């Protein structure tokens, strides 16, 4: 039996151990000897002043319990954690609804529509962009979908399954295992996020190439909207006009509640091969990664770590490329050998991949532990074409370094590629800086605004796989074409004429 942390990532039982914490603090002290690393405990949630619920919804699927509402008030970004640590309660949903059936979902939308109450669909609540926060809402119900958690049907011939949207990653995979099939979608937040959340945010899985975005694994969707149910046909492909699924994928709870999806499955991999390659120069490492991305080899892992990221998380002072291939059908050693040829000049190193994997799984817990010591440790991510990458990287690194100097005096910026495409990488940046206890959220917000400006100015996207939410809205509205924005508002008006669903996300709220 495990207990979810109310203020930070994951399970209380899996939080950093005292030894792990000591080692982290020592490592930071070695680099930042002047940082104030005083430890701060999270407040007792029972001691926090929680505003009264303003609504009285009907039936046993609703809860107005203060701790329940607190646990559904925000996501899992660094700024969510720092606000929780500071005891800053902010705005809470007035109730949490936990539908057991699709009819319950319809009933919640009906009741909220009749009473003018906003509805925020909630999967695992791992949003890092303010996607589940009832910010600036008069009254709101958060609809927690985790009771809709079954694999309902498996079609082994087409290798697909009909799955309820509220299922968490581990339960989904456990239900597919007896069929010897897997969705093979593993975002870093896999353990605590849901199928519906992945679909609504167009999540990116762990794999670097090919079928890693949940979009490509989706065969059809069933969505409850305030205007009725939309269910698309199960088809392997279709040229019949714009795709209904593409309208709802990435709609972030603003157009309807995804209740079920038919998802494309795969057999678990049986053949694997991997290696890590160290490069003396970052530019050479980027070039080798581009060649592999364009080679048609499609590695499962192709994670390039810059020297700072490699130093912190893979035990190397030089850039490291972690490569892996896998297949359910055929050996992959030949592919790995060809990829290594494309790394000409790089040196194969032992142990980096294992160390990277270990660090990767602990990162969210360590981020929160360091926040307790007043450190700013957060990430942001983007994607751009290869021709633009050198300039984007220089501009973003410069903007981040300047913002860190101004806000914290000092700090470190790291970069890795999470995904690579034939036409460009998805760079993922890490920020490590000593913050000021009491001002961590405001400091991070300034840094985030500076790097977001740099991303948009350099032709990148405001997000590659973290979604838009409320936090990215100022930059998203500049990134998407204006006429597309108008079309999206039109779709919103047609499906959700009262503007009940997740107001303030993706389309501006009517003034
Ligand atoms: C430590 C950490 C690591 C992460 N790693 C990754 C990663 O590797 N890849 C990645 O893509 N993201 C990652 N994320 C971000 C986050 O996990 C994803 O956005 C994820 O898809 C959210 O799923 P969720 O079930 O938690 O959804 P929530 O956070 O509950 O909701 C996210 C959005 O989807 C909407 N929504 C949720 N369920 C439904 C539904 N059934 N119908 C309609 N709308 C719905 C919500 O209203 C909200 O707008 C990470 C986050 C953290 C904190």
């Amino acid at each position: 039996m495990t207990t979810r942390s109310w203020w930070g990532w994951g399970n209380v039982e899996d939080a950093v151990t005292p030894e792990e914490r000591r080692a982290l603090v020592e490592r930071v002290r070695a680099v930042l000897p002047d940082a104030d690393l005083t430890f701060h405990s999270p407040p007792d949630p029972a001691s926090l002043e929680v505003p009264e619920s303003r609504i009285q919804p009907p039936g046993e699927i609703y809860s107005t319990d203060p701790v329940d509402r607190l646990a559904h008030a925000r996501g899992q970004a660094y700024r969510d954690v720092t606000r929780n640590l500071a005891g800053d309660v902010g705005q809470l949903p007035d109730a949490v609804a936990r539908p057991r059936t699709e009819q319950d979902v319809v009933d919640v939308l009906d009741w909220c529509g009749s009473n003018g109450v906003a509805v925020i669909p909630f999967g695992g609540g791992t949003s890092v962009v303010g996607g589940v926060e009832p910010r600036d809402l008069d009254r709101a119900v958060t609809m927690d979908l985790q009771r809709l958690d079954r694999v309902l049907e498996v079609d082994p011939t087409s290798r697909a399954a009909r799955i309820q949207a509220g299922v968490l990653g581990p339960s989904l995979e456990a239900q597919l295992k007896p069929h010897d099939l897997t969705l093979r979608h593993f975002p870093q937040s896999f353990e605590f996020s849901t199928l519906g959340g992945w679909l609504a945010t167009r999540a990116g899985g762990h794999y670097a190439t090919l079928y890693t975005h949940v979009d490509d694994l989706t065969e059809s969707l069933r969505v409850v909207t305030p205007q009725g149910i939309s269910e698309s046909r199960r088809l392997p492909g279709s040229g019949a006009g714009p795709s209904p699924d593409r309208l709802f994928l990435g709609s972030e709870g603003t157009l309807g509640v995804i209740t079920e999806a038919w998802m494309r499955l795969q057999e678990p991999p049986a053949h694997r091969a991997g290696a890590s390659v160290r490069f003396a120069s970052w530019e050479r490492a980027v070039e080798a990664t581009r060649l592999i991305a364009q080679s048609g080899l499609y590695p499962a892992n192709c994670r390039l770590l810059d020297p700072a990221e490699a130093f912190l998380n893979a035990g190397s002072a030089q850039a490291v490329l972690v490569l892996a291939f896998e297949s359910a059908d055929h050996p992959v050693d030949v592919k790995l050998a060809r990829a290594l040829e494309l790394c000409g000049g790089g040196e194969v190193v032992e142990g980096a991949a294992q160390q990277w994997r270990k660090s990767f799984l602990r990162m969210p817990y360590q981020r929160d532990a360091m926040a307790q010591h007043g450190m700013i440790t957060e990430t942001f991510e983007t994607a751009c074409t290869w021709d633009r990458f050198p300039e984007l990287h220089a501009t973003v690194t410069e903007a981040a370094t300047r913002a860190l100097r101004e806000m914290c005096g000092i700090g470190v910026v790291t970069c890795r590629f999470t995904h690579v495409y034939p036409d460009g990488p998805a760079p993922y940046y890490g920020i490590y800086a000593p913050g000021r206890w009491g001002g961590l959220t405001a400091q991070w917000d300034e840094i985030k605004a500076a790097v977001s400006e740099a991303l948009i100015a350099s032709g990148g996207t405001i997000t590659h796989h973290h979604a838009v939410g409320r936090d990215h809205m100022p930059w998203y509205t500049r990134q998407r074409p204006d006429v597309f924005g108008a079309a999206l508002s039109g779709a919103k008006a047609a499906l959700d004429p009262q503007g009940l669903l997740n107001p303030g996300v993706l389309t501006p709220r009517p003034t």
Side-chain angles (χ1 to χ4, degrees):
M1 190 68 186
T2 49
T3 320
R4 280 297 298 273
S5 164
W6 79 266
W7 63 272
W9 179 251
N11 292 323
V12 172
E13 296 75 10
D14 297 327
V16 296
T17 60
E19 299 78 58
E20 197 180 353
R21 182 184 293 280
R22 250 194 309 278
L24 281 171
V25 169
E26 270 169 31
R27 264 169 74 189
V28 174
R29 233 189 257 298
V31 187
L32 303 168
D34 297 330
D36 173 10
L37 297 176
T38 308
F39 171 78
H40 301 270
S41 297
D44 173 359
S47 71
L48 298 173
E49 244 175 71
V50 173
E52 288 289 307
S53 170
R54 295 159 290 189
I55 59 174
Q56 289 179 322
E60 61 184 37
I61 64 164
Y62 291 93
S63 154
T64 52
D65 172 67
V67 177
D68 215 0
R69 289 166 54 221
L70 196 61
H72 287 81
R74 47 180 65 133
Q76 294 283 333
Y78 173 77
R79 68 189 308 282
D80 298 322
V81 171
T82 52
R83 286 182 296 164
N84 289 341
L85 281 173
D88 167 7
V89 169
Q91 276 189 273
L92 266 57
D94 292 281
V96 177
R98 290 191 173 82
R100 298 153 302 194
T101 60
E102 189 176 83
Q103 187 55 46
D104 284 346
V105 173
V106 174
D107 292 346
V108 172
L109 290 185
D110 282 351
W111 185 85
C112 288
S114 307
N115 291 277
V117 176
V119 181
I120 302 183
F122 186 103
T126 64
S127 169
V128 284
V129 290
V132 290
E133 188 176 330
R135 198 180 297 168
D136 302 328
L137 298 181
D138 285 341
R139 295 173 308 156
V141 164
T142 290
M143 192 194 290
D144 179 330
L145 291 145
Q146 285 188 31
R147 280 185 179 171
L148 300 178
D149 64 352
R150 309 307 306 160
V151 172
L152 299 171
E153 219 177 314
V154 175
D155 167 358
T157 310
S158 319
R159 284 212 313 224
R162 181 159 72 94
I163 308 170
Q164 288 185 307
V167 66
L168 291 164
S171 168
L172 166 53
E173 285 297 330
Q175 292 179 67
L176 293 176
K177 201 165 191 276
H179 303 275
D180 205 22
L181 291 167
T182 169
L183 181 61
R184 199 174 173 270
H185 179 70
F186 301 114
Q188 193 188 22
S189 55
F190 170 78
E191 205 178 343
F192 301 105
S193 55
T194 62
L195 174 64
W198 302 339
L199 295 164
T201 59
R202 300 180 62 198
H206 171 70
Y207 298 108
T209 66
L210 282 185
Y211 307 110
T212 191
H213 285 278
V214 82
D215 318 27
D216 297 327
L217 309 176
T218 306
E219 195 174 72
S220 85
L221 290 181
R222 190 170 161 92
V223 187
V224 176
T225 81
Q227 294 297 90
I229 292 179
S230 165
E231 181 170 14
S232 56
R233 285 184 180 209
R234 286 188 61 201
L235 293 167
S238 167
S243 156
D245 295 341
R246 291 274 165 188
L247 179 65
F248 291 109
L249 287 165
S251 62
E252 301 191 30
T254 62
L255 301 180
V257 181
I258 301 163
T259 52
E260 285 178 17
W262 272 96
M263 301 300 296
R264 301 184 173 118
L265 306 175
Q266 302 172 48
E267 286 173 14
H271 305 270
R272 290 195 172 86
S276 302
V277 183
R278 185 163 60 194
F279 292 87
S281 122
W282 167 242
E283 288 72 23
R284 178 67 201 107
V286 171
E287 179 64 6
T289 309
R290 180 177 70 79
L291 292 176
I292 293 169
Q294 294 175 338
S295 66
L297 291 167
Y298 297 116
N301 200 355
C302 186
R303 203 169 289 249
L304 178 61
L305 315 179
D306 81 351
E309 182 76 46
F311 177 72
L312 288 175
N313 291 314
S316 163
Q318 292 176 328
V320 169
L321 178 61
V322 181
L323 275 173
F325 289 86
E326 54 180 56
S327 166
D329 181 70
H330 47 262
V332 287
D333 310 78
V334 174
K335 288 188 173 192
L336 177 63
R338 175 61 190 141
L340 290 176
E341 275 174 19
L342 292 171
C343 291
E347 179 198 349
V348 174
V349 285
E350 297 299 324
Q354 290 75 358
Q355 190 165 339
W356 163 256
R357 189 177 151 69
K358 211 169 125 204
S359 298
F360 183 70
L361 295 174
R362 294 303 293 161
M363 275 173 196
Y365 287 104
Q366 296 185 348
R367 175 199 68 175
D368 294 357
M370 291 321 292
Q372 292 187 284
H373 292 273
M375 285 291 291
I376 298 178
T377 45
E378 179 58 313
T379 60
F380 60 93
E381 37 86 64
T382 188
C384 65
T385 47
W386 288 110
D387 66 321
R388 284 198 161 136
F389 173 68
E391 198 186 321
L392 176 139
H393 182 57
T395 308
V396 170
T397 308
E398 211 270 320
T401 309
R402 189 162 7 99
L404 287 181
R405 224 179 9 249
E406 283 167 14
M407 300 310 302
C408 310
I410 193 172
V412 177
V413 184
T414 67
C415 179
R416 60 183 189 257
F417 293 170
T418 55
H419 302 80
V420 290
Y421 304 89
D423 53 345
Y428 189 100
Y429 293 90
I431 296 284
Y432 303 85
R436 183 171 36 80
W437 186 256
L440 295 176
T441 313
Q443 284 181 301
W444 167 249
D445 284 351
E446 291 284 337
I447 297 163
K448 173 77 178 175
V451 297
S452 299
E453 285 298 322
L455 287 179
I456 291 297
S458 310
T461 171
I462 189 61
T463 174
H464 170 261
H465 58 266
H466 280 171
V468 174
R470 292 174 174 80
D471 296 347
H472 283 154
M473 273 300 277
W475 297 280
Y476 172 66
T477 51
R478 281 161 55 192
Q479 175 178 334
R480 54 126 179 80
D482 286 344
V483 288
F484 177 78
L488 198 55
S489 294
K492 171 86 174 162
L495 294 168
D496 179 22
Q498 286 179 270
L500 293 178
L501 283 163
N502 220 0
V505 173
L506 289 181
T507 49
R509 295 172 69 182
T511 44

